[in-house]
Amino acid sequence: MILVTGGAGFIGANFILQWTAQSDEPIVNLDKLSYAGNLNNLLALEGDARHHFVHGDIADRGLLSALLASHRPRAVLHFAAESHVDRSIHGPGAFIDTNVNGTFALLETVLAHWSALPSPEQAAFRFLHVSTDEVFGSLVAGEAPFTERSAYAPNSPYSASKAAADHLVRAFGRTYGLPVLTVHSANNYGPMQFPEKLIPLFIANARGGMPLPLYGDGLQVRDWLHVIDHCAALRRVLEDGRPGEAYNIGGGNEHSNLEVAEALCTVLDELAPKEEGSYRSLIAFVADRPGHDRRYAIDAGKMRRELGWSPSRTFAGGIRDTVRWYLGNTAWVETVRSGAYRHWIERQYGPRSSGAAA
Ligand code: NAD
Ligand code: DAU
């Protein structure tokens, strides 16, 4: 039995689907179903006894203690977070509540449970914290990619809250001996990503004939990692990662946002051509994100050397599959683009340019 937090979100749900496709070990999935949590992501597991969903907050210590006591998981995989940088700029409070205070409550509760376990179970136990490359700040062109030894330099309220969580996780490992593992992962993409993030937002907007709003000059660079590769990496870290260590997980796919937008348009032009010409005409440059990090790049050498993991997906193939998924799952997209989501779009893009999204 493993306990996953945030398993109704993008990466958590992909992880659970991959896990249940490869293992019979059951999962408790604790998720508060924020705007980003979507049980439709896990419809394939309806009635499957291996997936036990619990609606709740990671900060609810009573609920968590009861879950740990009754299920006795061998590991906790901590995905739950507020995850969108732009939202953290408009309202950092929720990021402190969940990413910092929520992670702290989770750590204290897990520690109390772990401390009372018999020593063989204590030794086998793992707490895997899913963090981000954004805690390392921004690289300039030509600078070496982030390693696990890169200095922390978070620039957004989101990355600062994740950095705070990382430090708490590390401290619980060093001070109390909790067997913790931390991963710093690059930008994920793939099926079921909430359409506030660059790739699903641009696909949805393109299909709706709406502008594709590129911040600033669009030349910011991200390292794109297919979520399926990410989930496989997490399994490797869980099984053979060394407690107390951090692991950087990247796709080895550095692309500017403009290149990503153009790649999406090329695939859309082929798979869903529109009469009026290329989707490229929808690309629109809008005001930049405050504090926008210029470049992220990951050195995933430690994952390769120590755990034998490397990404299997090319960016071209991954983007194609991702566009196909969104084209084939318009009902999923429509459901998540609910009233609350439209309110967010209004707030985020209204002052930048009108009609950025449906
Ligand atoms: P997401 O926003 O899609 O999903 C987050 C999930 O956490 C949702 O299901 C939500 O309901 C749940 N949640 C939020 N607050 C909660 C709380 N207080 N208690 C219980 N559940 C709560 O996020 P994601 O993109 O799947 O990211 C998952 C994790 O991976 C996050 O920790 C994020 O920081 C990290 N990460 C994401 C990326 C990326 O590119 N998406 C890259 C690196 C790291
Ligand atoms: O690097 C890992 C991080 O990647 C994760 O920790 C975060 O949870 C995840 O949201 C992601 O953060 P980014 O800020 O890099 O992702 P986002 O999809 O929001 O933006 C990707 C790039 O595209 C970034 O440079 C901002 C730009 N962008 C984004 C949006 C939504 C645009 O130009 N226009 C947009 O409308």
Side-chain angles (χ1 to χ4, degrees):
M1 170 73 75
I2 60 169
L3 190 150
V4 164
T5 72
F10 163 51
I11 303 174
N14 275 287
F15 180 85
I16 290 174
L17 291 175
Q18 189 184 92
W19 181 274
T20 48
Q22 298 178 8
S23 161
D24 281 332
E25 187 174 4
I27 294 182
V28 179
N29 173 9
L30 173 65
D31 195 302
K32 85 166 185 186
L33 298 181
S34 73
Y35 77 93
N38 182 355
L39 281 178
N40 285 339
N41 294 344
L42 296 164
L43 271 183
L45 293 177
E46 224 171 29
D48 190 323
R50 293 172 303 166
H51 177 233
H52 179 63
F53 178 74
V54 179
H55 184 202
D57 196 309
I58 53 169
D60 184 342
R61 292 162 189 258
L63 172 63
L64 206 54
S65 302
L67 288 176
L68 292 166
S70 60
H71 295 287
R72 294 178 78 94
R74 70 174 171 100
V76 172
L77 278 84
H78 179 33
F79 294 94
E82 289 293 331
S83 68
H84 190 37
V85 173
D86 291 320
R87 284 182 194 261
S88 82
I89 294 167
H90 288 287
F95 289 72
I96 305 305
D97 289 347
T98 285
N99 301 0
V100 185
N101 294 325
T103 299
F104 175 59
L106 178 67
L107 280 166
E108 277 205 320
T109 315
V110 169
L111 177 66
H113 169 77
W114 175 82
S115 302
L117 290 175
S119 49
E121 278 184 58
Q122 269 192 355
F125 191 87
R126 295 290 180 268
F127 182 97
L128 198 171
H129 172 55
V130 183
S131 186
T132 170
D133 57 2
E134 298 199 13
V135 296
F136 301 128
S138 185
L139 295 167
V140 296
E143 195 175 352
F146 300 128
T147 71
E148 291 79 2
R149 303 178 76 83
S150 294
Y152 276 68
N155 290 318
S156 71
Y158 163 71
S159 52
S161 70
K162 292 295 288 187
D166 291 6
H167 293 319
L168 287 169
V169 169
R170 177 189 157 91
F172 272 63
R174 298 286 282 214
T175 304
Y176 307 113
L178 188 68
V180 296
L181 299 154
T182 294
V183 297
H184 300 291
S185 308
N187 282 64
N188 279 226
Y189 71 102
M192 303 186 295
Q193 186 168 30
F194 198 85
E196 63 188 352
K197 309 281 165 53
L198 179 74
I199 288 177
L201 178 77
F202 277 26
I203 298 171
N205 280 14
R207 289 300 290 146
M210 311 303 289
L212 312 183
L214 272 180
Y215 298 161
D217 61 9
L219 299 181
Q220 305 82 9
V221 170
R222 297 292 182 265
D223 174 3
W224 293 98
L225 170 67
H226 195 282
V227 66
I228 291 301
D229 279 330
H230 184 205
C231 293
L234 295 176
R235 291 173 63 100
R236 287 297 302 128
V237 174
L238 179 64
E239 296 317 324
D240 288 321
R242 288 180 288 133
E245 291 290 312
Y247 296 88
N248 281 6
I249 307 175
N253 286 311
E254 280 190 59
H255 292 286
S256 72
N257 296 332
L258 179 58
E259 286 169 346
V260 171
E262 288 174 343
L264 290 171
C265 290
T266 301
V267 177
L268 282 163
D269 283 340
E270 187 194 326
L271 299 182
K274 59 184 179 75
E275 281 174 13
E276 315 84 81
S278 172
Y279 287 95
R280 285 181 188 223
S281 64
L282 295 173
I283 293 176
F285 292 89
V286 300
D288 208 351
R289 170 187 280 175
H292 199 168
D293 287 333
R294 194 67 180 165
R295 173 178 167 240
Y296 305 141
I298 283 268
D299 177 345
K302 184 172 174 182
M303 281 296 298
R304 199 172 49 245
R305 286 189 305 277
E306 295 192 11
L307 300 178
W309 174 88
S310 52
S312 65
R313 299 283 179 116
T314 62
F315 185 66
I319 280 290
R320 198 180 184 72
D321 290 350
T322 301
V323 171
R324 257 192 224 287
W325 189 88
Y326 284 94
L327 292 178
N329 289 275
T330 46
W332 183 95
V333 177
E334 286 317 312
T335 307
V336 296
R337 284 160 82 92
S338 64
Y341 173 63
R342 276 198 292 275
H343 176 69
W344 157 251
I345 288 291
E346 183 87 351
R347 183 169 180 189
Q348 170 65 5
Y349 297 101
R352 288 183 147 109
S353 72
S354 59

